[in-house]
Amino acid sequence: MSKGVILLAAGGTGGHLFPAEALAHELIERGWKVHLATDHRAERYSGQFPAVAVHPIPSATLGSKNPIAMLSSFWKIWQGVREAGRVIAKIRPEAVVGFGGYPTLPPLYAATRRKVPTLIHEQNAVMGRANKALSARVDAIAGGFLPEGASAAGAKTVTTGNPVRPQVLQAAKTPYVPSNDGEPFRFLVFGGSQGAQFFSDAVPAAIAQLPEDQRKRLLITQQARAEDVARVKAAYADLGVDAQVSPFFTDMAARMAAAHLVMSRSGASTVSEIAVIGRPALLVPYPHALDHDQAANAAALAAAGGAELHPQSTLSSERIAELVGGLIQDPNRLATMAAAARSSGKPDAARLLADLTEAIASGKTVSHYRETRA
């Protein structure tokens, strides 16, 4: 039996669309009809996103300081608000849920003007600009890493975590087993969907500085940009190190579960997956990330004891060798980190997010929702 309609609004990137998709599946299982509002990129997802309909809504960024460009952006956003208002009037959603990115501004603003219950989900430990602009207007904020109650926004924030892929939930069933002296040591290195040139340059040079007995134990999986794959493979081959290097691995969750140590960037999805699977990590935030969100994400997992945060500027190949070599020799420390990471993970994030969505849709406040949850 259908419970009604929920409208999801998300920017056109995977970081915004993935948690929206996870919530959509959960809500559909509970009997809701789901619609998606996004920008002109909607056509790419209309056949993949589990929605009754995908609604393209005009929007624009507000990054330019040029007065003419700003006026143009405001006009496009206002057009989007009007179009979103028409969509809301037609489908009559019980709630509108935003996932960040400028395409969420018109639907959420239009919903608040029409007194439709609203909720935003912020994946990172630092609120993005679109969500920050909406935070004062919406009824609730779901946080991947955001703390509850620490500020005006925190008063209506519920830490749900970030929904993770089904493959990650499957991989999380694999317990962490330390690699003891003389046993193979699996080291996973990746830098986001495009890989990271920094890792391609620095990690092979670091591995070259490890003692031979440690190098012989290593089984490395490293994601690298296509143009870097050949030279990274050659570097490991010259060292006699067993390494698989590729621009993309379709079974990354399983490789993470098999790893004894992970070294990676610290996007919200990456940190959430490391925590749910429960693996020790050396996190190197992308230094040019907008609002330094990656550094804040890494700090959250490091504070829980599940990772170490190392700014890229501090990581020479010598320092990486020191860090990796020290951890290879300390399986107890790695096991402790793995347990801490796992204890901070939220494998049921999609369920928690759906619970909050249903509460807001029914007219409950965040404080009432917390009371019923306690």
Side-chain angles (χ1 to χ4, degrees):
M1 180 178 176
S2 176
K3 295 180 179 178
V5 172
I6 301 290
L7 175 62
L8 308 183
T13 66
H16 296 134
L17 278 164
F18 175 73
E21 183 177 349
L23 176 61
H25 283 294
E26 181 71 20
L27 290 173
I28 290 167
E29 285 186 13
R30 298 184 184 199
W32 293 89
K33 293 179 181 177
V34 173
H35 289 241
L36 173 68
T38 185
D39 63 3
H40 64 278
R41 294 170 287 186
E43 301 83 44
R44 290 190 293 170
Y45 307 105
S46 58
Q48 303 169 22
F49 200 94
V52 173
V54 178
H55 305 279
I57 304 292
S59 189
T61 65
L62 296 171
S64 174
K65 294 182 180 180
N66 181 296
I68 296 175
M70 287 181 66
L71 282 172
S72 175
S73 293
F74 277 118
W75 174 245
K76 195 166 186 180
I77 290 171
W78 180 243
Q79 287 179 307
V81 171
R82 295 178 66 184
E83 176 61 27
R86 285 190 283 269
V87 170
I88 289 170
K90 180 180 178 181
I91 69 175
R92 300 174 63 86
E94 301 294 323
V96 179
V97 185
F99 288 86
Y102 283 99
T104 64
L105 287 172
L108 270 293
Y109 186 78
T112 60
R113 292 178 76 226
R114 290 173 172 267
K115 308 300 182 187
V116 177
T118 51
L119 162 69
I120 54 175
H121 179 269
E122 174 56 59
Q123 296 86 46
N124 293 293
V126 175
M127 196 174 288
R129 297 180 184 186
N131 276 347
K132 193 178 293 182
L134 292 163
S135 61
R137 299 183 63 91
V138 299
D139 297 300
I141 301 167
F145 295 99
L146 293 176
E148 299 183 9
S151 63
K156 54 182 174 183
T157 297
V158 176
T159 304
T160 59
N162 292 315
V164 296
R165 297 170 293 152
Q167 302 96 305
V168 173
L169 295 175
Q170 183 63 35
K173 297 176 182 178
T174 303
Y176 183 78
V177 180
S179 171
N180 295 307
D181 193 25
E183 296 176 343
F185 187 94
R186 288 181 288 276
F187 184 32
L188 173 63
V189 182
F190 64 99
S193 59
Q194 299 302 315
Q197 184 175 353
F198 170 74
F199 292 139
S200 295
D201 294 338
V203 176
I207 300 304
Q209 298 178 53
L210 293 177
E212 186 177 357
D213 63 321
Q214 289 189 347
R215 288 204 306 270
K216 285 183 177 179
R217 293 175 58 190
L218 282 171
L219 300 173
I220 296 178
T221 294
Q222 184 162 342
Q223 185 185 39
R225 299 184 308 171
E227 58 266 37
D228 294 332
V229 167
R231 69 179 177 89
V232 174
K233 279 185 175 180
Y236 287 130
D238 289 344
L239 295 170
V241 172
D242 188 329
Q244 295 184 35
V245 184
S246 175
F248 185 74
F249 293 97
T250 57
D251 58 345
M252 184 61 86
R255 289 175 185 268
M256 195 181 297
H260 294 107
L261 176 63
V262 175
M263 186 174 198
S264 72
R265 294 300 195 197
S266 49
S269 294
T270 294
V271 175
S272 298
E273 291 181 0
I274 288 171
V276 168
I277 295 174
R279 293 299 178 264
L282 299 173
L283 297 177
V284 186
Y286 178 59
H288 309 298
L290 191 66
D291 299 323
H292 302 290
D293 53 341
Q294 288 208 6
N297 298 339
L301 188 56
E308 294 180 6
L309 190 168
H310 294 280
Q312 182 172 308
S313 60
T314 68
L315 289 180
S316 61
S317 58
E318 291 81 6
R319 178 60 176 150
I320 295 173
E322 180 184 343
L323 291 168
V324 174
L327 289 170
I328 289 174
Q329 294 300 107
D330 196 350
N332 291 334
R333 160 86 172 135
L334 288 172
T336 299
M337 289 173 66
R342 188 176 181 85
S343 67
S344 70
K346 287 188 164 50
D348 56 348
R351 179 184 64 79
L352 294 173
L353 186 54
D355 288 346
L356 180 59
T357 300
E358 289 187 324
I360 298 304
S362 69
K364 291 180 181 176
T365 63
V366 168
S367 58
H368 185 206
Y369 170 76
R370 287 197 183 116
E371 288 172 8
T372 58
R373 186 185 57 169

